[in-house]
């Protein structure tokens, strides 16, 4: 936990009861308290309702856009430090699970993986096209812009994929359901 606390930035949200730097500086007692809080959340399968709030800060997408048009803004969610810490722990555990069960190979995911990026995705596409051409097969590539994809993902579908395709079940699935439901944001 001390290492994870050291890696997280000192960013702060007005939802935090104490400054992030102070939480991180109390390295003898804070990790024990945070570890107990995180373990309690994971064991119960419930994301704490106190951490389901976010402050939305609208940011203009490009400086030349008209600031009076609401669609020209993108929302930046500011979460509490504990919420971000809990998300990081779960992300690490989920990533380890997906890697250890070779699920990444099944879905050919290039984002959010160590050693993978848009460049490795393009290399794979190019390699697949060359292999197909060697076999006399025509390759068609369709590129889509998913820049706002997360905003449009149906949570029930996402939870079903976690369960059916990735084998995330029991308290782990319950935790993800709890994480996604009951969220509140304010500007």
């Amino acid at each position: 936990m001390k290492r994870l606390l050291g890696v997280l930035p000192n960013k702060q949200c007005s939802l935090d009861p104490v400054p992030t730097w102070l939480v991180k500086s109390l390295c003898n007692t804070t990790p024990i308290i945070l570890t107990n809080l995180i373990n309690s959340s994971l064991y119960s399968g419930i994301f704490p309702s106190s951490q389901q709030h976010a402050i939305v800060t609208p940011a203009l997408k490009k400086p030349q856009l008209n600031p009076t048009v609401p669609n020209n803004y993108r929302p930046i969610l500011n979460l509490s430090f504990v919420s971000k810490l809990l998300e990081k722990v779960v992300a690490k555990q989920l990533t380890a699970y997906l890697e250890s069960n070779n699920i990444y190979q099944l879905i050919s995911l290039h984002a959010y993986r160590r050693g993978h990026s848009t460049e490795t995705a393009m290399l794979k596409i190019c390699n697949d096209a060359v292999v197909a051409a060697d076999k006399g097969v025509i390759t068609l590539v369709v590129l889509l812009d998913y820049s706002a994809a997360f905003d449009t993902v149906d949570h029930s579908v996402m939870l079903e994929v976690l369960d059916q395709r990735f084998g995330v079940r029991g308290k782990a699935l319950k935790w993800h359901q709890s994480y996604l439901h009951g969220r509140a944001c304010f500007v």
Side-chain angles (χ1 to χ4, degrees):
M1 181 60 72
K2 286 183 184 181
R3 189 171 44 128
L4 188 57
L5 284 172
V7 171
L8 286 173
N10 282 338
K11 292 181 182 177
Q12 190 165 319
C13 175
S14 59
L15 296 171
D16 291 324
V18 295
T20 302
W21 64 265
L22 180 60
V23 172
K24 291 172 76 173
S25 70
L26 300 171
C27 61
N28 291 332
T29 55
T30 305
I32 297 167
I33 295 167
L34 292 174
T35 300
N36 288 338
L37 176 71
I38 290 168
N39 286 340
S40 175
S41 173
L42 298 176
Y43 182 75
S44 67
I46 297 171
F47 187 80
S49 59
S50 64
Q51 302 304 311
Q52 290 187 315
H53 306 285
I55 297 174
V56 179
T57 304
L60 201 56
K61 291 176 184 175
K62 296 177 184 173
Q64 66 270 22
L65 293 176
N66 183 348
T68 63
V69 178
N71 283 342
N72 290 340
Y73 288 87
R74 64 182 173 88
I76 297 175
L77 289 174
N78 295 308
L79 303 168
S80 71
F81 179 75
V82 172
S83 179
K84 288 186 272 187
L85 182 64
L86 188 48
E87 286 178 6
K88 188 84 162 168
V89 168
V90 170
K92 287 183 88 153
Q93 288 184 356
L94 185 58
T95 300
Y97 167 78
L98 295 173
E99 287 176 352
S100 67
N101 290 289
N102 292 320
I103 294 173
Y104 279 138
Q105 275 59 30
L106 299 174
I107 59 174
S108 187
L109 180 69
H110 285 267
Y112 312 109
R113 288 179 68 190
R114 182 171 297 169
H116 292 77
S117 63
T118 54
E119 287 86 5
T120 60
M122 290 304 295
L123 287 171
K124 179 171 180 2
I125 291 169
C126 290
N127 183 61
D128 291 349
V130 169
V131 169
D134 287 345
K135 294 178 182 176
V137 176
I138 297 173
T139 301
L140 174 68
V141 177
V142 177
L143 303 173
L144 302 172
D145 179 10
Y146 285 121
S147 59
F150 188 77
D151 299 337
T152 60
V153 171
D154 184 321
H155 291 170
S156 61
V157 171
M158 185 168 69
L159 291 167
E160 186 177 321
V161 168
L162 280 173
D163 180 14
Q164 302 299 317
R165 289 194 55 206
F166 300 158
V168 176
R169 297 196 175 93
K171 287 183 183 176
L173 185 62
K174 181 182 172 190
W175 187 93
H176 283 86
Q177 288 170 328
S178 174
Y179 174 79
L180 293 170
H181 298 300
R183 291 233 167 248
C185 300
F186 58 92
V187 179

